[in-house]
């Protein structure tokens, strides 16, 4: 199986980067693409316990796709849910756009 930590780091980079480049006012097609993507992602992510948890999270809180801000905030909260479970510090979601859109050093 893939390295769960390295896979996770790369995947969060991809997911937050998708949120950061998502339009502020997405079209119906873009909203449906994003919803389809996260749904398939939750089924295909090759860390099965991670994928199960992510699907359970989506069942509790459906991903909002009406704007970059809403989706990015949701994704940040989803990542914090994992951080909490793993005993990692929570990330301040007021800063996710700085981290993933404007960029800062990690
Ligand atoms: P990561 O958590 O990978 O974060 C990478 C960078 O993202 C951080 O350095 C920080 O700059 C930034 N960041 C941190 N938190 C946030 C946030 N809330 N919002 C925005 N940016 C943030 N591992 C398991 O062992 N068990 C699991 O059940 C599990 N579930 C996962 C589910 C998903 C959907 C994904 C993508 C990964 C999962 N992982 C899981 C992997 C885990 O989340 C980490 O990726 C891995 O432990 C490496 O952690 P890290 O400390 O390098 O930073």
């Amino acid at each position: 199986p893939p390295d769960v930590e390295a896979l996770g780091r790369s995947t969060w980079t991809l997911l937050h980067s998708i949120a950061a480049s998502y339009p502020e006012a997405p079209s119906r097609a873009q909203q449906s693409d994003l919803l389809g993507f996260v749904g398939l992602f939750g089924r295909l992510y090759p860390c099965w316990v991670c994928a199960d948890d992510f699907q359970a999270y989506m069942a509790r809180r459906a991903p909002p796709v009406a704007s970059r801000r809403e989706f990015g905030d949701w994704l940040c909260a989803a990542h914090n849910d994992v951080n909490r479970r793993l005993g990692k510090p929570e990330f301040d979601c007021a800063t996710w756009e700085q981290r993933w859109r404007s960029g800062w050093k990690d």
Side-chain angles (χ1 to χ4, degrees):
D3 178 326
V4 170
E5 292 225 334
L7 176 68
R9 260 191 304 277
S10 318
T11 302
W12 287 122
T13 298
L14 173 63
L15 292 174
H16 291 298
S17 301
I18 287 173
S21 65
Y22 191 62
E24 284 175 47
S27 66
R28 305 293 292 183
Q30 287 169 317
Q31 296 183 47
S32 132
D33 283 351
L34 184 58
L35 209 50
F37 173 80
V38 294
L40 288 169
F41 167 84
R43 301 217 294 273
L44 295 169
Y45 190 61
C47 159
W48 312 122
V49 295
C50 307
D52 283 349
D53 286 334
F54 188 73
Q55 282 186 290
Y57 186 83
M58 283 196 287
R60 294 198 301 277
R61 286 184 65 182
V65 295
S67 69
R68 174 194 306 155
R69 178 60 48 83
E70 286 172 79
F71 180 71
D73 287 351
W74 176 89
L75 185 64
C76 185
H79 192 164
N80 271 336
D81 193 62
V82 178
N83 288 343
R84 261 193 304 277
R85 265 191 292 115
L86 299 181
K88 292 178 195 277
E90 277 198 41
F91 185 91
D92 175 5
C93 286
T95 69
W96 77 261
E97 271 192 284
Q98 271 165 271
R99 168 69 177 87
W100 295 105
R101 193 170 157 81
S102 333
W104 74 47
K105 298 216 335 233
D106 202 19

